[in-house]
Amino acid sequence: MIVTIDGPAGAGKSSLARDLARKLGFRFLNTGAMYRAVVLAALERQVPWDDQLQLEQLVDQLQLEFRDETVLIDGRDVTDPIRSPEVSAAIHFVADNARIRRRLIQWQREWAACGDVVTEGRDQGTDAFPDADCKIFLIASPEVRAERRWRQLRQQQPDLTLEQVLADQQLRDQRDIDRPCGGLREPKGSFRVSTDEMSLAEAVDHVARIVLEIQARTAHEA
Ligand code: DC
């Protein structure tokens, strides 16, 4: 069974997808981490962003592994470096590249081919797995998302204001929607779940119930 979780940044996709996968005993794929890993590898190997051939060769040769929340490139743990500001700032070079996206989607499909998976990102229910058994579109209001992020960041950045986080988030949202490929859209036939009024545990329970109902219905129809 394939469960896709899409939605804007800050809606809680990664935590929900990870906990949902644990609860259901499914494997979990964080596709944002894939994009980040490709960017990190390109930066480290100094591949120019306009050298399409070298970028494609890099993606073809890269050994990416996902073990729960740990990300490995060619056996090296890159879980922290892929979250650096340098990687975030360069993401669009990879996320806006249609040929690279096609390769990554192919990789995602191969990864999902054996067994039950929860996969999260921006294009999972639309482009990667349009026929997924269960598609979730996870949302939260801009104010709630910004406040969550502000609470996370203010330890390291005490001068950061909620207004700054909100403005930055608006830019990121627009960029995610306007991508030339794989832009954020609500998948057809998806369940829209708002996490505004839910804790993480409540959201996981809510989505797990949806998945289990679909599983039971499919088993009944078979
Ligand atoms: O979920 P995240 O913020 O770690 O994702 C990193 C970036 O990758 C984000 O800016 C959007 C992009 N992305 C994408 O274009 N398609 C995906 N399936 C997942 C992430």
Side-chain angles (χ1 to χ4, degrees), residues 6 9 13-14 30-33 35-36 83 88 91 95 101 108 120-124 172 176 179 181-182:
D6 292 301
K13 294 186 301 295
S14 301
N30 176 333
T31 61
Y35 284 83
R36 289 176 178 279
R83 304 267 153 214
S88 300
I91 277 283
R101 184 174 289 275
Q108 291 155 13
E120 69 98 343
R122 308 289 193 288
D123 60 349
Q124 296 299 283
R172 286 213 292 167
D176 272 352
R179 280 197 195 297
C181 55

Side-chain angles (χ1 to χ4, degrees), residues 6-8 11 137-141 145 148 186 192-196:
D6 292 301
F137 193 60
L138 200 69
I139 53 166
S141 68
R145 291 191 284 133
R148 285 179 191 155
E186 188 160 358
R192 183 190 275 221
V193 175
S194 166
T195 60
D196 272 358

Side-chain angles (χ1 to χ4, degrees), residues 16-152:
L16 180 128
R18 178 200 61 211
D19 288 3
L20 179 71
R22 277 191 193 142
K23 191 178 173 90
L24 298 172
F26 287 17
R27 288 184 306 143
F28 160 53
L29 184 63
N30 176 333
T31 61
M34 276 183 89
Y35 284 83
R36 289 176 178 279
V38 172
V39 171
L40 179 69
L43 287 172
E44 286 181 346
R45 292 165 208 201
Q46 299 181 350
V47 177
W49 295 120
D50 57 0
D51 190 333
Q52 184 68 26
L53 187 65
Q54 262 206 72
L55 274 179
E56 287 180 34
Q57 281 172 347
L58 173 79
V59 173
D60 288 345
Q61 288 161 7
L62 219 52
Q63 292 291 323
L64 288 184
E65 279 177 76
F66 297 89
R67 294 194 197 141
D68 204 19
E69 283 177 274
T70 305
V71 183
L72 306 169
I73 298 179
D74 298 332
R76 180 169 59 104
D77 184 346
V78 293
T79 314
D80 290 332
I82 62 168
R83 304 267 153 214
S84 72
E86 292 74 25
V87 168
S88 300
I91 277 283
H92 63 282
F93 289 115
V94 169
D96 292 356
N97 186 319
R99 293 171 69 112
I100 300 291
R101 184 174 289 275
R102 214 173 303 136
R103 279 173 152 72
L104 293 182
I105 287 181
Q106 187 55 34
W107 191 96
Q108 291 155 13
R109 289 180 180 155
E110 284 164 17
W111 188 87
C114 42
D116 297 320
V117 299
V118 177
T119 172
E120 69 98 343
R122 308 289 193 288
D123 60 349
Q124 296 299 283
T126 48
D127 298 336
F129 302 101
D131 299 324
D133 308 272
C134 176
K135 304 189 222 179
I136 303 293
F137 193 60
L138 200 69
I139 53 166
S141 68
E143 293 74 20
V144 167
R145 291 191 284 133
E147 181 154 355
R148 285 179 191 155
R149 183 148 179 81
W150 178 61
R151 284 183 193 284
Q152 272 173 2

